[in-house]
């Protein structure tokens, strides 16, 4: 090798270097083509034959049945404070005024959620304008009409929704929770 204005260059002929560069390009093409075929084959072998399906909901945790209120006690879009499954777990019972998936009662529009943010346990506030629970700590937001799904913020799980049952007299009972309630190592009383 020799120096030209302080830069070390290769002493190999120019034609050899261009042939080497062409070999690198051919090698790269073969590598990418082979990798693409391998990924396609692996995807075909691993993916199920049927269509894609959403992940199942978390395991339902059954608690003792607790009476929360009566349907006649509720006003549309005004949350009622509740405690479920015990006094250390604040929640809210809400009549939304329109039937939603997972809603209980004669109109299918009554839902209940834990009001402890699953991120750090801050007390959530309900916003009736967009039917969300909002955390004042790190600004996580949870959509009540979508089963407590997180729509914004630092939380890493959805808001625990309580399973409700309404009897013939209109009494509303909570019977379980969809997710781990903040501050508990498990959903066992």
């Amino acid at each position: 090798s020799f120096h030209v204005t302080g830069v070390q260059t290769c002493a190999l002929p120019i034609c050899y270097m261009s042939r080497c560069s062409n070999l690198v390009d051919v090698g790269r093409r073969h590598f990418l083509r082979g990798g693409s075929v391998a990924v396609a084959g692996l995807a075909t072998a691993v993916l199920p034959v049927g269509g894609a399906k959403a992940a199942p909901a978390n395991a339902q945790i059954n608690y003792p049945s607790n009476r929360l209120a009566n349907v006649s006690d509720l006003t549309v879009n005004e949350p009622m404070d509740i405690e479920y499954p015990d006094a250390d777990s604040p929640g809210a019972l809400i009549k939304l005024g329109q039937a939603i998936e997972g809603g209980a009662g004669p109109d299918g529009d009554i839902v209940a959620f834990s009001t402890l943010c699953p991120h750090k346990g801050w007390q959530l506030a309900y916003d009736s304008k967009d039917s969300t629970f909002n955390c004042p700590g790190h600004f996580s937001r949870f959509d009540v009409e979508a089963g407590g799904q997180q729509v914004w913020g630092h939380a890493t799980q959805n808001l625990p929704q309580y399973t409700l049952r309404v009897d013939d007299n209109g009494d509303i009972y909570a019977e379980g929770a969809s997710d781990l309630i903040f501050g508990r190592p498990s959903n066992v009383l």
Side-chain angles (χ1 to χ4, degrees):
S1 58
F2 60 94
H3 293 279
V4 176
T5 61
V7 177
Q8 186 174 357
T9 60
C10 181
L12 298 174
I14 298 290
C15 64
Y16 176 75
M17 289 304 291
S18 69
R19 192 172 83 218
C20 180
S21 179
N22 288 341
L23 288 174
V24 169
D25 287 341
V26 169
R28 189 176 304 133
R29 269 189 237 114
H30 283 290
F31 174 77
L32 292 174
R33 188 178 309 134
S36 299
V37 170
V39 168
L42 182 63
T44 303
V46 172
L47 292 177
V49 176
K53 295 181 182 176
N58 292 339
Q60 174 67 31
I61 308 301
N62 294 323
Y63 288 119
S65 184
N66 279 357
R67 183 186 179 282
L68 302 176
N70 188 283
V71 172
S72 63
D73 299 333
L74 300 176
T75 303
V76 173
N77 219 13
E78 289 185 22
M80 174 184 279
D81 291 337
I82 59 172
E83 295 175 341
Y84 183 77
D86 54 37
D88 294 326
S89 186
L93 184 64
I94 306 169
K95 180 173 178 62
L96 294 170
Q98 64 184 18
I100 62 163
E101 186 175 340
D107 300 325
D109 65 342
I110 301 171
V111 293
F113 294 92
S114 168
T115 54
L116 294 177
C117 182
H119 176 233
K120 293 286 185 182
W122 289 76
Q123 182 68 40
L124 301 174
Y126 183 68
D127 184 348
S128 61
K129 291 185 293 275
D130 61 359
S131 299
T132 58
F133 277 108
N134 301 299
C135 179
H138 296 104
F139 311 110
S140 292
R141 302 182 75 220
F142 304 91
D143 188 346
V144 170
E145 294 176 352
Q149 181 177 4
Q150 179 190 354
V151 293
W152 181 257
H154 294 282
T156 58
Q157 73 181 53
N158 296 330
L159 196 58
Q161 182 173 3
Y162 300 138
T163 303
L164 300 178
R165 173 180 59 85
V166 179
D167 70 11
D168 294 337
N169 297 324
D171 288 330
I172 305 165
Y173 294 86
E175 299 185 329
S178 64
D179 290 284
L180 185 65
I181 297 169
F182 180 83
R184 297 171 186 249
S186 69
N187 269 344
V188 177
L189 289 178

